[in-house]
Amino acid sequence: MSKALEGVRILDLGHVQAAPTATQLLAWMGAEVIKVEMPGRGDITRGQLRDVKGADSLYFTMLNSNKRSITINLKAAGGKKILEELVRRCDVVVENFGPGVLDRQGFTWARFQELNPRIIYASIKGFGPGRYADFKAYENVAQCMGGASSTTGWEDGPPTVTGAQIGDSGTGVHLVAGILAALFQREKTGRGQRVQVAMTDAVLNLCRVKMRDQQRLAHGPLLEYPSKEFGDTVPRAGNASGGGQPGSALRCAPGGPERLCLCHHPAALLGAADEDHRAAGADHRPGFCDARGAAAAHPGMLLDHRALDADQDQVRCHGGAQRGRYSVRPDPVDE
């Protein structure tokens, strides 16, 4: 069976992580991806964080599989002619240069349209239209300016950048959605179009649950949060899920930084009695929970914390006439 994007050719002018993430996903879907790199050095990530001498770094290979590479000097007249010919033969151009870099080389959106009216020109920038449009960005800048770091971490600590690359890779995923939509629309119009995604916009979009809570905060405290006091902004809540159910990391015996318990949400929260646990799926819905924080989040549910002791293996919860049970395991397991 053929892949969805077989026959689609992508000209990848991207580097480092954001744009290469997008083109790699397109390659996995069957597109032919031609990656353009600088002569002599290639993509800068080829040599960054290299762990094997003389080999491309894992950073590069993990983002650029399923691609073909070519080196072109975009500052030379001959290199520009080669790029123009590639634009004529491709369906999509993807880039994440600094603002204005390609324009200064003579490769504007208007020029791409002259070369190929069906071309889709997709770009990733740090910021969208506005006073920061000409500013560059990278992962940490995107997470901070996009609002993610302000809601990540502990209430008494500083804003924290998440380990997941939501600024770079997250923006690449957003760009793929735009490219696929443009390819689909081209089937009707016969013409390409401009696709642009800002890293800060993508991060903000991924913060939608926290934006939901920001709106709710105007009507009173957020009871599912472990915070004792609330100000004008959504607090950082550590590992609390913020979704209305107990959700956090709970240390268990025999202790140590990696010894966390995995809790099955109790049937009391799912509306099922003890004997209906398995039928309701309660025994197969793992999630991290904080037994102490759960009582604050659900005032009607009383918890027995003896499972924190080495000789106990369960935290029992009692909610009205129904009872549920948190199964405690020494290590998290994959869902």
Side-chain angles (χ1 to χ4, degrees):
M1 180 178 179
S2 62
K3 293 187 176 181
L5 295 185
E6 282 188 8
V8 175
R9 183 176 290 149
I10 312 292
L11 184 59
D12 181 4
L13 302 179
H15 57 283
V16 190
Q17 184 180 164
T21 294
T23 52
Q24 185 182 52
L25 289 171
L26 295 170
W28 286 344
M29 297 179 199
E32 177 189 0
V33 178
I34 303 173
K35 182 177 176 67
V36 176
E37 302 184 59
M38 292 179 59
R41 187 192 73 182
D43 190 316
I44 193 172
T45 59
R46 282 186 182 269
Q48 282 187 332
L49 309 177
R50 181 180 287 158
D51 59 331
V52 177
K53 186 177 181 179
D56 290 330
S57 72
L58 180 60
Y59 191 16
F60 175 82
T61 57
M62 69 184 291
L63 293 165
N64 292 285
S65 60
N66 286 14
K67 302 178 185 180
R68 301 161 63 189
S69 289
I70 182 174
T71 58
I72 301 177
N73 184 354
L74 297 181
K75 296 181 179 180
K80 291 182 178 181
K81 288 184 179 180
I82 294 174
L83 187 66
E84 288 177 350
E85 185 59 32
L86 286 171
V87 171
R88 292 188 182 99
R89 299 186 182 191
C90 289
D91 298 284
V92 183
V93 174
V94 178
E95 63 90 18
N96 63 327
F97 286 111
V101 170
L102 279 183
D103 288 354
R104 291 191 293 271
Q105 299 292 338
F107 294 107
T108 62
W109 169 224
R111 179 57 178 152
F112 282 145
Q113 287 180 298
E114 291 175 4
L115 295 168
N116 183 353
R118 290 175 56 83
I119 198 72
I120 293 165
Y121 180 20
S123 298
I124 289 177
K125 298 294 179 243
F127 301 88
R131 59 178 176 168
Y132 297 115
D134 294 329
F135 285 57
K136 296 180 180 180
Y138 71 109
E139 181 67 44
N140 288 18
V141 173
Q143 288 199 33
C144 291
M145 294 296 286
S149 62
S150 69
T151 60
T152 304
W154 303 97
E155 189 173 16
D156 57 353
T160 304
V161 172
T162 177
Q165 304 293 288
I166 61 175
D168 280 316
S169 290
T171 305
V173 173
H174 281 76
L175 189 71
V176 168
I179 290 171
L180 295 178
L183 284 169
F184 184 76
Q185 190 170 31
R186 193 179 69 175
E187 295 299 307
K188 301 177 182 178
T189 66
R191 298 187 64 83
Q193 59 182 287
R194 191 80 167 91
V195 177
Q196 301 180 76
V197 179
M199 294 174 68
T200 49
D201 291 348
V203 170
L204 183 63
N205 185 46
L206 295 174
C207 291
R208 61 179 68 189
V209 170
K210 296 300 182 180
M211 290 192 287
R212 171 207 68 187
D213 292 346
Q214 183 65 43
Q215 288 183 302
R216 294 174 54 229
L217 190 59
H219 302 283
L222 306 174
L223 298 181
E224 75 277 11
Y225 277 68
S227 305
K228 296 180 179 179
E229 298 180 358
F230 291 88
D232 297 329
T233 58
V234 175
R236 290 184 284 280
N239 289 320
S241 70
Q245 71 282 336
S248 191
L250 179 65
R251 186 166 296 178
C252 66
E258 302 300 328
R259 309 298 285 189
L260 301 176
C261 75
L262 181 66
C263 300
H264 297 275
H265 295 314
L269 295 181
L270 300 174
D274 276 357
E275 56 269 26
D276 295 326
H277 276 194
R278 187 168 299 278
D283 285 319
H284 303 281
R285 304 177 73 88
F288 292 108
C289 72
D290 182 345
R292 294 183 176 88
H298 301 274
M301 185 169 64
L302 302 178
L303 295 159
D304 181 349
H305 306 308
R306 288 175 298 171
L308 298 176
D309 298 329
D311 60 343
Q312 299 293 323
D313 67 349
Q314 291 179 335
V315 177
R316 299 178 183 273
C317 71
H318 305 270
Q322 299 175 343
R323 294 189 302 168
R325 179 172 294 172
Y326 286 96
S327 300
V328 180
R329 302 184 183 185
D331 288 301
V333 294
D334 292 334
E335 189 169 1

